[in-house]
Amino acid sequence: MRTRITELFNIEHPIIQGGMHFVGFAELAAAVSNAGGLGIITGLTQRTPELLANEIRRCREMTDKPFGVNLTFLPIVTAPDYPGYIRAIVDGGVRIVETAGNNPQKWLPGLHEAGVKVIHKCTSVRHSLKAEAIGCDAVSVDGFECGGHPGEDDIPNFILLPRAAEELKIPFVASGGMADGRSLVAALALGADGINMGTRFMATKEAPVHDNVKQAIVAASELDTRLVMRPLRNTERVLRNAAVDRLLEKERVLGANLKFDDIMGEVAGVYPRIMREGDMDAGAWSCGMVAGLIHDVPSVRELIERIMREAEAIIRGRLAGFLAA
Ligand SMILES: Cc1cc2nc3c(=O)[nH]c(=O)nc-3n(C[C@H](O)[C@H](O)[C@H](O)COP(=O)(O)O)c2cc1C
């Protein structure tokens, strides 16, 4: 399958693995890239630029295919060493960066001069157009269904993707709720040039997370996610658990008076305990509604090949079959 995204990133299949905190290590990124998709290392999971440089080296030892690095621009006062991370990316020979969070404009000239292509993750048409205007090469359009931060507009992909297609000139991938060949064909029909997946890639053999995380995703239905931190305008879609129930109760009781400090125990620094140790109630962790479509833990290659096989069968069989000869 050839699309503007496979051409832009020089990959075989139009499938991207989005950055995921404490999930997007070299093992997963390399597995996705080796299977013909685009794997992405999560930059900020590496505590320093030196550690990121090392992670990039590890990934390169595992794949000779293109892979990217995610840089999430957080809305916090003491920013991480972004210039250092960008140096690690450029010096490490990485040519694709997935940005997310705040506007990446400040960092684009440096990245582009080094020959790096930038795909920015956006949760609205407005932000996607901004990304196009400042010179991003592509966008990842993240619908309300997505695991992680869906923004505050709450527009699901059945509306958001065709709206993005109406307005954007640069290529975009559909993100949020993508799991299988049906997702890919639907995304293409709605105007996207590929898909970006988070939650689905967490439930794969190569995902370097505790088996409890994978089993929790397989066990979950589409009804089991919750939105937290909405009162702070930092909404995150997470899998419901004891910590999330506690957090939501605090939000209910404190209402507009809620401060980040009130919920630190449920959200700050909880990822290592969940992802590494499998302590599933340690805090709130991102998970998409798409958990309802995830019923197994295949290898990354099995997953990607299945998606491509299914997509082809749907296009050639089911869809073509609707048309009169
Ligand atoms: C556990 C987890 C951690 C995530 N961490 C990040 C992150 O650090 N930066 C980022 O840009 N997106 C992050 N995301 C969002 C994903 O890159 C992707 O946009 C999202 O998962 C797509 O929705 P889906 O889960 O329905 O596939 C995370 C998602 C999950 C599930």
Side-chain angles (χ1 to χ4, degrees):
M1 190 180 279
R2 278 177 60 179
T3 74
R4 291 190 295 168
I5 285 292
T6 60
E7 303 283 293
L8 179 67
F9 295 135
N10 196 21
I11 52 178
E12 194 184 341
H13 306 304
I15 301 176
I16 301 177
Q17 167 250 316
M20 285 181 280
H21 199 38
F22 278 90
V23 182
F25 293 97
E27 286 78 9
L28 181 59
V32 173
S33 290
N34 280 333
L38 179 67
I40 293 187
I41 294 171
T42 314
L44 296 190
T45 298
Q46 303 300 324
R47 272 182 297 102
T48 64
E50 292 68 35
L51 289 171
L52 177 59
N54 191 48
E55 197 67 9
I56 291 169
R57 267 193 300 277
R58 285 205 319 119
C59 196
R60 198 161 309 289
E61 279 165 17
M62 290 184 261
T63 185
D64 53 8
K65 300 273 173 58
F67 61 90
V69 171
N70 169 284
L71 269 185
T72 302
F73 297 110
L74 301 168
I76 52 176
V77 188
T78 38
D81 179 10
Y82 289 119
Y85 283 105
I86 288 173
R87 245 188 332 272
I89 290 166
V90 170
D91 292 350
V94 173
R95 292 290 171 262
I96 300 164
V97 165
E98 177 198 50
T99 52
N102 286 351
N103 186 329
Q105 183 162 20
K106 184 171 160 191
W107 313 104
L108 284 181
L111 289 168
H112 277 152
E113 267 161 40
V116 175
K117 301 240 163 51
V118 176
I119 178 164
H120 186 56
K121 192 148 49 190
C122 303
T123 57
S124 68
V125 174
R126 170 173 96 254
H127 292 146
S128 303
L129 282 172
K130 182 76 193 177
E132 178 175 275
I134 65 175
C136 290
D137 301 280
V139 284
S140 198
V141 175
D142 224 9
F144 183 52
E145 306 89 331
C146 73
H149 294 270
E152 311 302 327
D153 288 351
D154 302 355
I155 309 297
N157 267 335
F158 241 89
I159 309 299
L160 189 60
L161 298 173
R163 278 289 298 123
E166 283 176 5
E167 306 253 358
L168 285 173
K169 291 185 194 68
I170 55 174
F172 68 96
V173 293
S175 179
M178 304 292 141
D180 51 33
R182 297 170 300 181
S183 320
L184 174 57
V185 174
L188 297 173
L190 295 174
D193 276 286
I195 57 174
N196 178 66
M197 305 194 296
T199 305
R200 175 64 270 197
F201 276 123
M202 240 196 304
T204 57
K205 290 205 171 83
E206 291 91 338
V209 298
H210 197 283
D211 197 50
N212 289 356
V213 178
K214 304 178 191 187
Q215 294 312 325
I217 293 170
V218 170
S221 87
E222 62 278 20
L223 302 174
D224 293 330
T225 69
R226 293 291 180 273
L227 295 176
V228 297
M229 294 193 284
R230 174 130 281 181
L232 302 174
R233 292 189 63 78
N234 185 27
T235 301
E236 182 180 0
R237 185 179 296 286
V238 298
L239 192 68
R240 184 180 173 201
N241 62 17
V244 168
D245 284 348
R246 211 162 53 233
L247 199 169
L248 289 173
E249 181 59 14
K250 288 183 189 176
E251 289 185 0
R252 195 185 62 78
V253 172
L254 293 169
N257 296 322
L258 183 84
K259 305 266 181 312
F260 187 72
D261 282 352
D262 298 318
I263 57 167
M264 288 271 278
E266 282 76 32
V267 300
V270 297
Y271 269 69
R273 278 171 60 199
I274 295 157
M275 299 300 170
R276 266 195 217 132
E277 293 159 37
D279 180 357
M280 299 317 296
D281 285 320
W285 57 281
S286 295
C287 179
M289 287 178 166
V290 72
L293 295 176
I294 298 173
H295 311 302
D296 61 357
V297 183
S299 74
V300 165
R301 184 174 293 281
E302 281 164 355
L303 175 65
I304 290 182
E305 285 179 356
R306 184 166 78 196
I307 292 173
M308 296 313 299
R309 212 173 39 242
E310 269 179 22
E312 183 171 344
I314 293 169
I315 295 168
R316 290 194 200 279
R318 182 172 165 81
L319 298 187
F322 289 133
L323 302 173

